[in-house]
Amino acid sequence: MIDSHTKILVCIGSGGVGKTTIAASFGVWGALQGKKVLVLTVDPAKRLATTFGLKADGLEQRIPFPEAQGELWASVLNSKQIFDDFVQKATEKGADTSFIMKNKLYQQLSTTLSGSQEFTALEKLYSAYESQKYDLIILDTPPTKHAIDFFKAPQKISNLFSESIAKWFKQSKANHWAQTFIQMGTQKALDILQTLTGSEFVSELRDFFSSIETWQARLESRAKKINDLLLSKETAFNLITAFDSAKIEEAKVFADLMRKSGYQLKILTINRSFPNWLPKPFNTNTGIDQFCIKLNLYYEGRLNSFNLMTRAIKELDILMLPEYDHDIADLEGLKQLVNDYKWVKNTK
Amino acid sequence: MKHEEKQQQKIIFVTGKGGVGKSIFALALAQKYSQGQKVLLVELGLHSFYSDFLGVSVEYQPTPLSKNLDIALWSGAECLKEYALHLLKAESLYKLFFENRISRALIDVAPALSELAILGKATSGIRQVGPELSYDVIIVDAYATGHFMALLRAPRGMNESIQFGPMAEQTRTILKTIRDPQICEYAIVTLPEELPAVEAEELHQALVSEVGLNARIYCNKVWPQAEILKLKKESGTAGVRVSDAEMNFVQELESLVERQQVWIQYLKQRDSNMKLIPMVFSSEPRQIVTEVGKSLL
Ligand SMILES: Nc1ncnc2c1ncn2[C@@H]1O[C@H](COP(=O)(O)OP(=O)(O)OP(=O)(O)O)[C@@H](O)[C@H]1O
Ligand SMILES: Nc1ncnc2c1ncn2[C@@H]1O[C@H](COP(=O)(O)OP(=O)(O)OP(=O)(O)O)[C@@H](O)[C@H]1O
Ligand SMILES: [Mg+2]
Ligand SMILES: [Mg+2]
């Protein structure tokens, strides 16, 4: 499980599986253990945000939780703001950033779902980690098409910002790229891009790259530090999946991939695995009993295929969570969830 | 001589919150259409869900799945490659471009580019560009809500910032196609629960304002209300002995369908013809698809 080395717990998984809810519950768990915990959350359900009084302003707020020995803190990630802050900090002091902020490509990059959300989540994680204010930081992750997109995103961004690319664009700007002494291949590639997209697009690109030059160095070193942190012993991952043979199979493949890449995958959480309200059959042979038998068979059927599959999973703790018949929208609900944590297989 | 008019191709995009049953629904819908028409079922992205599920290999080029039904997996990169080849007409030029580190990095992040290429591919049959797509119906098991809207917004965003050149022209015809009710249909799959229902309602509105079309809503995993109410009646019938535990159980079920009803009514305000798809009590995915298919008839 999470040991004392663990300073960061990253909750990942595909869309809608319960990442935000479970990340919050680990925050509650940590605070109950006496830790000072920060939950970095993405787009929490409105009711959960309201009951916690959370604003989407990115500030770290303390959540009143009197019965906990530790402290529960939370912050709602605001991607655009983090990106803008980052640019502001990374540019030379007093430099004018309005030019870049107006660039269409920058606007797309900082607002769309093409990897910048993942990058900003990690950027915020790193600065919270650096502040050394917390014993444990829980990171909820943005909805991705596939859990693996989360890991690819920062690399993509850092590729784009790699120094050589910007240098190249800068040269091409200075000399109207046709006459520049640059790699022929790249020159041709850009000509092709121009054929495909038109010159307007290419000129937007050129403006973009020449204006980001100043914060490149910082972005590159930051990306590297973030990557090191994700691979360090202090960071544990919690992969969340739905209770479904197809989805668990998918999670297994992904878990292998993560481990091969060196990430510390510690927990596989199976959410909504069994209803917490379903009784055992009554043996009365009434219509009610028959319906109850049908439901039990259904959930047992799923459980069987689950057991077969998890036998193959090693060195992972499996956390089974029940399916509630209500939303989890407040501290009480989260405490209930922590109470219902069911660890199926402990490594130690 | 009577000339048989070829029917216009139809494109159906399936979207909704993560995990609500989009893929199961899209497959069931594809099977249904393939009873009389030639259908292509398309997945988006790099990973195929259906390949494990159905035990077939799913790639960019369509693979036959059953009579009249083919399946394919479209990634942004592959769609872009096809578009580039179509315009450049030479593999060598294409290689120069796509194997260059700088262009690779650009394609990876320049968000609208691969999204545009995907929509371009989906509408390529209608717009008569690129390789032939000879299907009567194309069903796209598309992204979940947020990414789907980003996909649909790509052409408009591109159109606003770039007005000239080949891409601008392509963009305009794509925009026209995705807004044409004779060609495109949008299906939102959701559940009778608060978060998915609210998300579906917001998505419905977003689609109206983005493409000007009313999406159809499909409410999945609906518990059998009539059956449960019958159980309740049974428990109240004189002469039938029912234990307290059984009474509790029935009450639990009853409140479950009551809650479900709240969200069904909520969704019906958006789509009064909303289809209900029953919860299938089976852990066998193929059986779920079959049962979901029956409810679509
Ligand atoms: N075990 C559970 N039982 C019942 N409801 C649950 C359970 N876990 C999560 N939910 C509910 O499911 C919904 C989705 O959960 P959540 O928002 O945490 O998912 P997510 O993975 O963060 O989604 P996204 O990918 O969209 O960010 C919420 O309404 C939440 O209350
Ligand atoms: N009508 C139904 N009755 C019972 N179970 C269902 C039904 N529809 C879907 N499911 C279950 O829900 C699971 C999720 O469905 P599916 O994979 O189609 O969702 P999805 O929306 O495509 O998910 P993702 O967003 O991850 O792509 C299925 O594997 C299936 O077991
Ligand atoms: Mg979330
Ligand atoms: Mg799917």
Side-chain angles (χ1 to χ4, degrees):
Chain A
M1 244 189 85
I2 307 177
D3 49 34
S4 52
H5 302 296
T6 308
K7 293 272 177 303
I8 293 168
L9 180 69
V10 186
C11 297
I12 52 174
S14 56
V17 293
K19 295 178 293 294
T20 302
T21 310
I22 291 163
S25 85
F26 269 95
V28 168
W29 171 87
L32 287 169
Q33 302 269 310
K35 295 177 197 283
K36 183 173 175 187
V37 195
L38 171 66
V39 181
L40 297 173
T41 181
V42 186
D43 206 11
K46 268 196 202 90
R47 262 202 293 149
L48 190 63
T50 318
T51 49
F52 280 172
L54 279 177
K55 291 184 216 79
D57 56 5
L59 294 179
E60 292 158 30
Q61 276 173 263
R62 180 151 182 199
I63 312 286
F65 190 6
E67 73 258 50
Q69 283 189 321
E71 294 177 18
L72 180 59
W73 291 72
S75 157
V76 180
L77 295 168
N78 178 332
S79 193
K80 173 102 181 91
Q81 186 190 2
I82 299 170
F83 218 98
D84 289 353
D85 280 358
F86 176 84
V87 171
Q88 213 80 47
K89 263 192 233 151
T91 350
E92 282 147 43
K93 284 219 174 61
D96 183 16
T97 55
S98 60
F99 180 63
I100 174 79
M101 304 267 171
K102 272 191 214 127
N103 182 279
K104 295 215 175 69
L105 216 72
Y106 173 81
Q107 286 174 359
Q108 281 200 346
L109 198 67
S110 60
T111 53
T112 60
L113 297 155
S114 64
S116 48
Q117 269 198 334
E118 287 81 356
F119 175 76
T120 47
L122 290 169
E123 165 62 24
K124 175 76 190 173
L125 173 71
Y126 195 84
S127 45
Y129 169 80
E130 238 180 352
S131 77
Q132 297 192 331
K133 280 200 285 202
Y134 304 97
D135 304 320
L136 180 65
I137 304 170
I138 319 274
L139 179 67
D140 171 26
T141 54
T144 51
K145 290 164 212 153
H146 193 273
I148 200 153
D149 297 342
F150 178 75
F151 295 97
K152 288 190 181 154
Q155 189 56 50
K156 278 187 184 175
I157 298 226
S158 111
N159 282 349
L160 180 71
F161 291 112
S162 85
E163 207 187 352
S164 50
I165 298 184
K167 222 182 233 157
W168 188 85
F169 266 96
K170 195 183 158 203
Q171 279 178 335
S172 76
K173 189 189 184 185
N175 301 303
H176 285 111
W177 61 13
Q179 310 115 34
T180 339
F181 176 70
I182 44 165
Q183 270 184 300
M184 281 299 289
T186 304
Q187 177 57 57
K188 284 227 180 77
L190 253 124
D191 287 346
I192 296 168
L193 184 65
Q194 187 147 340
T195 313
L196 290 176
T197 62
S199 57
E200 232 179 320
F201 184 74
V202 175
S203 94
E204 277 275 328
L205 276 179
R206 208 180 303 149
D207 283 353
F208 175 72
F209 280 103
S210 55
S211 50
I212 62 174
E213 214 204 329
T214 44
W215 38 285
Q216 214 138 61
R218 183 169 143 106
L219 198 136
E220 261 183 293
S221 82
R222 200 68 170 180
K224 174 152 192 333
K225 279 185 189 159
I226 290 174
N227 197 42
D228 291 347
L229 180 63
L230 288 183
L231 286 166
S232 84
K233 286 253 177 302
E234 292 181 320
T235 306
F237 286 84
N238 178 7
L239 176 61
I240 300 157
T241 168
F243 190 68
D244 183 287
S245 50
K247 298 283 174 211
I248 297 176
E249 196 59 52
E250 216 176 67
K252 243 172 61 183
V253 173
F254 183 59
D256 280 344
L257 201 81
M258 273 186 76
R259 254 180 289 167
K260 274 191 204 119
S261 321
Y263 299 104
Q264 310 273 319
L265 180 60
K266 289 280 177 69
I267 306 171
L268 177 66
T269 301
I270 319 264
N271 195 18
R272 299 179 167 222
S273 48
F274 48 89
N276 67 339
W277 52 268
L278 179 65
K280 290 269 155 285
F282 308 103
N283 288 320
T284 52
N285 209 17
T286 56
I288 299 170
D289 189 34
Q290 262 145 30
F291 194 78
C292 185
I293 291 172
K294 179 165 100 176
L295 290 188
N296 271 284
L297 279 177
Y298 167 61
Y299 285 105
E300 274 161 26
R302 301 205 312 173
L303 202 62
N304 285 340
S305 50
F306 167 76
N307 284 337
L308 279 179
M309 248 173 307
T310 47
R311 226 165 275 163
I313 302 178
K314 289 188 190 78
E315 316 210 357
L316 253 187
D317 288 322
I318 296 172
L319 177 60
M320 303 271 278
L321 300 177
E323 158 127 53
Y324 298 102
D325 57 4
H326 53 81
D327 270 348
I328 301 151
D330 55 17
L331 200 53
E332 283 312 308
L334 291 171
K335 269 161 46 190
Q336 175 75 49
L337 187 55
V338 172
N339 246 320
D340 291 340
Y341 277 8
K342 186 174 157 206
W343 295 97
V344 174
K345 198 161 127 191
N346 286 312
T347 35
K348 272 171 222 141
Chain B
M1 197 174 95
K2 209 172 163 208
H3 187 79
E4 208 173 299
E5 187 74 28
K6 196 164 181 337
Q7 187 193 334
Q8 172 138 269
Q9 193 178 61
K10 192 184 211 169
I11 308 166
I12 304 173
F13 292 97
V14 179
T15 178
K17 190 170 163 64
V20 294
K22 295 181 293 297
S23 302
I24 297 259
F25 170 82
L27 176 57
L29 194 67
Q31 287 178 346
K32 183 195 136 185
Y33 273 105
S34 72
Q35 283 164 11
Q37 302 177 73
K38 200 153 181 284
V39 183
L40 178 66
L41 174 62
V42 178
E43 290 184 82
L44 301 185
L46 295 168
H47 313 271
S48 170
F49 167 77
Y50 297 120
S51 106
D52 284 342
F53 188 84
L54 300 166
V56 292
S57 94
V58 182
E59 291 149 24
Y60 188 67
Q61 296 304 338
T63 318
L65 196 62
S66 55
K67 185 165 178 272
N68 279 336
L69 175 56
D70 291 358
I71 184 166
L73 170 70
W74 294 350
S75 69
E78 295 251 34
C79 292
L80 202 58
K81 175 177 169 181
E82 194 177 282
Y83 171 63
L85 276 175
H86 167 73
L87 275 186
L88 299 170
K89 311 245 164 18
E91 184 91 21
S92 57
L93 277 185
Y94 159 79
K95 275 203 168 139
L96 247 175
F97 180 60
F98 280 82
E99 283 167 12
N100 180 277
R101 204 162 58 89
I102 293 179
S103 15
R104 277 247 63 93
L106 286 178
I107 295 163
D108 269 354
V109 279
L113 227 47
S114 35
E115 264 127 31
L116 207 60
I118 288 173
L119 286 180
K121 172 74 180 169
T123 56
S124 67
I126 293 282
R127 300 183 300 121
Q128 297 182 330
V129 288
E132 206 184 353
L133 258 186
S134 54
Y135 294 93
D136 302 317
V137 186
I138 297 175
I139 295 177
V140 185
D141 177 18
Y143 302 136
T145 314
H147 288 102
F148 183 69
M149 286 314 295
L151 178 74
L152 278 193
R153 284 187 184 120
R156 192 165 50 88
M158 196 57 97
N159 194 44
E160 278 163 10
S161 45
I162 287 131
Q163 268 129 37
F164 305 102
M167 202 167 65
E169 245 162 70
Q170 293 281 331
T171 305
R172 276 192 285 272
T173 61
I174 293 173
L175 263 176
K176 207 172 134 229
T177 312
I178 61 172
R179 289 174 174 170
D180 187 340
Q182 302 301 322
I183 300 166
C184 287
E185 274 179 30
Y186 297 85
I188 301 174
V189 181
T190 186
L191 304 177
E193 288 172 26
E194 180 172 354
L195 230 71
V198 171
E199 197 171 302
E201 131 83 8
E202 288 168 0
L203 178 56
H204 191 276
Q205 282 189 45
L207 280 169
V208 169
S209 67
E210 190 58 43
V211 293
L213 299 180
N214 276 305
R216 295 215 49 189
I217 303 181
Y218 295 84
C219 190
N220 192 19
K221 298 199 193 178
V222 175
W223 282 62
Q225 187 179 17
E227 190 179 344
I228 287 168
L229 292 181
K230 223 177 97 200
L231 293 180
K232 172 156 160 72
K233 248 200 196 132
E234 180 187 312
S235 71
T237 312
V240 180
R241 280 264 180 93
V242 172
S243 67
D244 286 353
E246 282 170 288
M247 282 301 283
N248 282 340
F249 176 56
V250 173
Q251 258 159 31
E252 196 68 64
L253 291 172
E254 199 194 346
S255 62
L256 190 152
V257 291
E258 264 169 25
R259 257 193 321 273
Q260 152 175 308
Q261 211 49 36
V262 170
W263 298 110
I264 290 175
Q265 290 312 327
Y266 171 87
L267 289 164
K268 277 196 170 157
Q269 293 175 351
R270 275 286 145 208
D271 180 0
S272 53
N273 285 320
M274 179 175 71
K275 266 222 155 77
L276 303 183
I277 301 172
M279 170 81 182
V280 182
F281 296 100
S282 161
S283 51
E284 176 44 57
R286 282 166 189 256
Q287 198 179 340
I288 300 178
V289 175
T290 310
E291 293 297 319
V292 169
K294 281 183 195 158
S295 73
L296 295 176
L297 291 175

